[in-house]
Amino acid sequence: MPIRKGNQTFDGMKEACERLGIARTTMLRYLDSGFFSEPDRVRVGRNQNYRIFTAEWYAINEPRLVPEADD
């Protein structure tokens, strides 16, 4: 679900996985291993934190999934 922070809307885990074309478990594995940088988090409610995927996060991490072409 998209997450609102102030007057901005950011992608949540589901939207990020769909945009990158990977499964949620793969995303979590990449985050745990350090392949992807950890996204910002926003507190929602009393005991919940959600990861928010910003344009800056995509700019850094999205190119890592594209295989480099051999010349």
Side-chain angles (χ1 to χ4, degrees):
M1 86 180 145
I3 299 167
R4 293 191 53 83
K5 182 178 178 183
N7 61 352
Q8 296 179 323
T9 302
F10 300 101
D11 286 347
M13 179 68 82
K14 180 181 177 184
E15 293 80 19
C17 290
E18 288 175 359
R19 177 172 171 169
L20 298 173
I22 59 175
R24 184 177 192 276
T25 54
T26 302
M27 172 71 89
L28 293 173
R29 188 174 67 242
Y30 285 171
L31 291 170
D32 287 341
S33 70
F35 181 74
F36 285 157
S37 61
E38 188 65 33
D40 293 335
R41 290 180 180 250
V42 63
R43 186 174 179 162
V44 178
R46 192 170 183 177
N47 296 320
Q48 293 181 335
N49 290 312
Y50 290 116
R51 292 178 179 93
I52 56 172
F53 298 88
T54 61
E56 293 82 18
W57 186 90
Y58 284 119
I60 294 168
N61 295 289
E62 201 166 23
R64 295 180 183 181
L65 289 179
V66 178
E68 293 184 21
D70 293 332
D71 292 332

